[in-house]
Amino acid sequence: MRGRGSGRVSMAGMTCYKPGERSRLFYSVCEYTGRKDQSKGFGRRDFRDLLIRARIQFGGPIVLVWDNVRLHLAESLRAFIEANADWLTVFQLPIYAPDLNPQEGIWSLVKRDIGNLATADLSQITCAVKRKLKMLQYRPEVVNGCLAGTGLVLEA
């Protein structure tokens, strides 16, 4: 999502399901303001940290269904996944299959909510995105809807 000038807000997230528990949403939001020393988006470390945080908070192994974002396919991230195969299993979605990715439903809800937001600066967009994601964290029925919307079967 772009703000005024050269800034933008990037998001990474995971919708998670564990049998017998409520569905969960883990996310991270990154603001790029155009400074030369600043990353333009999420990198390998950011995704790694999100996965580690999800594992700690979710309390167990993770089976990850990932889309084909270029960074997800990077060798450095693949090395992290292989090094943590005892708790992390990854299935790659087919190319051009956003309908199978429950996170797309989450992003759609976020974008719909802030689509017509008029702001004075990028930080207001960032705050609006974080506020919407935080609200969705406390609505497991919405996360369940995004998971169910994929048609993928969630089995114990």
Side-chain angles (χ1 to χ4, degrees):
M1 285 174 219
R2 295 195 178 276
R4 290 179 40 196
S6 63
R8 74 174 147 239
V9 178
S10 299
M11 303 172 285
M14 299 180 350
T15 48
C16 299
Y17 167 81
K18 190 174 188 178
E21 296 186 16
R22 70 177 177 87
S23 296
R24 306 273 300 272
L25 170 64
F26 297 98
Y27 66 88
S28 186
V29 176
C30 176
E31 186 177 274
Y32 173 68
T33 59
R35 292 192 321 257
K36 290 182 182 180
D37 64 334
Q38 189 179 30
S39 175
K40 291 184 179 181
F42 285 88
R44 181 191 66 80
R45 286 185 182 170
D46 299 310
F47 280 108
R48 179 203 64 197
D49 293 348
L50 182 62
L51 286 166
I52 291 169
R53 192 176 88 217
R55 178 184 182 223
I56 291 167
Q57 291 181 15
F58 211 50
I62 293 177
V63 176
L64 184 62
V65 179
W66 242 353
D67 60 14
N68 284 285
V69 171
R70 187 175 359 164
L71 182 60
H72 294 172
L73 303 172
E75 186 57 39
S76 58
L77 201 49
R78 290 279 171 204
F80 170 78
I81 292 166
E82 288 174 19
N84 292 285
D86 58 319
W87 63 268
L88 182 59
T89 304
V90 177
F91 292 99
Q92 201 73 40
L93 286 173
I95 295 175
Y96 304 114
D99 53 317
L100 296 177
N101 186 349
Q103 200 59 38
E104 293 296 332
I106 298 293
W107 300 144
S108 176
L109 292 169
V110 170
K111 291 175 185 178
R112 186 180 328 152
D113 196 55
I114 66 168
N116 292 320
L117 181 66
T119 64
D121 62 28
L122 187 62
S123 66
Q124 290 177 331
I125 294 173
T126 303
C127 286
V129 168
K130 287 180 178 180
R131 186 174 33 251
K132 181 64 176 183
L133 288 167
K134 185 79 163 171
M135 185 211 63
L136 290 170
Q137 279 186 312
Y138 292 99
R139 307 244 348 252
E141 70 280 2
V142 175
V143 177
N144 285 342
C146 292
L147 287 163
T150 66
L152 299 174
V153 177
L154 304 174
E155 295 180 355

